[in-house]
Amino acid sequence: MNDAQRWNAVAGIRSIDLGDLRVSYVPDGVVGLKPRGWFPETTEDDWREHAQHLDEAGQLVASIGGLLVERGSRAMLIDAGYGPTGSPDDPANPVIGAIHGRDLLDNLAELGREPDEIEAVAITHLHTDHIGWAHHGAFPKARVLLSEREWEHRDQHAPDVTEEMLDRLGEQVETVHDGQEIFPGVRVRTTFGHTPGHASYAISSGSRRLIVMGDALHSAVQIENPTWPVWADVDRDAAIRSRQDLLRELREPDTLGFGIHFADVQFGRVTTESGTARWAPLP
């Protein structure tokens, strides 16, 4: 695959080292996002300009999975994919296309880890493509970590998040707060807006830092267009502020970003060309 193809390809397993930590994307599946539905104020001209982000069906390719963080024998996961399920594209749905999970546990095994070895699953927010394997009970020994505000506002869940899912999660949930260290080198970084208590995570080791953005940003196209409103954001103004704050941090030296839905360009850094922010994916 050449570099141009990566912008609209499904992400595979990819690992990087940060000091004494190793972080790896663990694929679970993919969802298609219909660009003018997902970003409702964009135009056809916008997508002609950013056509490299769209697949042959004209949709944004949004990878689904989790981020494995390892330090020696210890391991945690950030987000838990969609789970062993899926649904086909509904042409009547103007926002979301086909979605499926299923692959996370197999890919975790490919990385040499069993579910029982995961000591914590840190969830960015309560949407089905982030809690899937956790509410299915795949990590019985793990603490399920959620920001205090996200858990307090769980009654505002999306329609496809059921009370049964929340009840299952609740048996393992521990709430966390902004700035709290939840694993060596991993701290909570609240980024409200997409959901009431959405959290990102900052991973630091040695001289490098990786910001796990969660759904504060869904696509690399938002790096240069952070003010585009997003259909799924519950507080659009707060979400835009969170994106802008993250972009300021991502411009800092020795800082990388990880966008869980960023097609096959998930790990990268923000560069500035002629005053415009750009996403520069890692090789």
Side-chain angles (χ1 to χ4, degrees):
M1 183 187 302
N2 62 43
D3 287 346
Q5 292 172 313
R6 293 177 58 196
W7 295 94
N8 59 17
V10 181
I13 292 174
R14 193 179 295 267
S15 302
I16 65 171
D17 293 319
L18 293 172
D20 60 358
L21 299 175
R22 185 166 181 80
V23 297
S24 303
Y25 173 61
V26 190
D28 189 41
V30 64
V31 59
L33 303 179
K34 299 176 183 180
R36 293 196 61 192
W38 194 260
F39 298 106
E41 294 187 11
T42 58
T43 66
E44 291 293 339
D45 285 343
D46 289 324
W47 293 107
R48 277 191 285 272
E49 182 179 348
H50 299 293
Q52 75 272 22
H53 295 277
L54 305 180
D55 64 10
E56 293 180 356
Q59 297 183 10
L60 287 159
V61 174
S63 300
I64 297 174
L67 188 70
L68 177 67
V69 185
E70 299 176 282
R71 185 175 187 268
S73 62
R74 297 180 63 184
M76 70 162 293
L77 197 64
I78 298 176
D79 282 336
Y82 191 59
T85 187
S87 61
D89 186 12
D90 176 1
N93 185 327
V95 179
I96 298 172
I99 183 170
H100 74 82
R102 306 188 190 94
D103 299 333
L104 187 137
L105 297 187
D106 288 343
N107 285 317
L108 194 63
E110 185 75 15
L111 287 161
R113 289 290 181 175
E114 295 298 323
D116 283 357
E117 296 179 85
I118 304 301
E119 65 181 69
V121 180
I123 303 294
T124 56
H125 63 295
L126 289 169
H127 282 175
T128 50
D129 55 326
H130 296 261
I131 64 174
W133 289 99
H135 80 74
H136 275 94
F139 305 102
K141 297 182 180 179
R143 297 170 294 140
V144 173
L145 308 179
L146 279 155
S147 81
E148 293 172 332
R149 181 167 171 160
E150 187 75 352
W151 191 242
E152 287 170 1
H153 289 81
R154 61 189 179 277
D155 60 327
Q156 300 179 24
H157 58 76
D160 59 345
V161 176
T162 67
E163 293 292 342
E164 183 180 8
M165 292 177 187
L166 295 172
D167 288 345
R168 289 175 182 168
L169 286 177
E171 297 172 4
Q172 294 172 265
V173 162
E174 294 181 17
T175 58
V176 295
H177 57 80
D178 189 50
Q180 181 176 340
E181 187 173 49
I182 58 171
F183 187 84
V186 182
R187 292 187 181 275
V188 181
R189 200 299 197 183
T190 52
T191 45
F192 304 148
H194 180 60
T195 60
H198 184 281
S200 300
Y201 295 90
I203 305 174
S204 301
S205 185
S207 62
R208 304 175 81 195
R209 179 172 64 148
L210 176 74
I211 298 177
V212 180
M213 295 177 279
D215 278 11
L217 292 102
H218 292 88
S219 169
V221 73
Q222 292 171 280
I223 298 296
E224 58 189 285
N225 301 286
T227 60
W228 281 359
V230 174
W231 169 82
D233 289 344
V234 298
D235 184 332
R236 291 183 176 181
D237 290 340
I240 288 170
R241 288 194 297 272
S242 288
R243 286 194 285 276
Q244 292 172 325
D245 288 346
L246 284 172
L247 286 176
R248 280 190 285 272
E249 289 188 46
L250 287 164
R251 289 187 177 98
E252 295 177 4
D254 299 316
T255 300
L256 303 173
F258 172 77
I260 196 162
H261 294 311
F262 276 31
D264 194 36
V265 292
Q266 293 175 308
F267 292 99
R269 55 175 52 88
V270 171
T271 62
T272 303
E273 300 174 14
S274 303
T276 300
R278 306 284 185 188
W279 185 247
L282 297 188

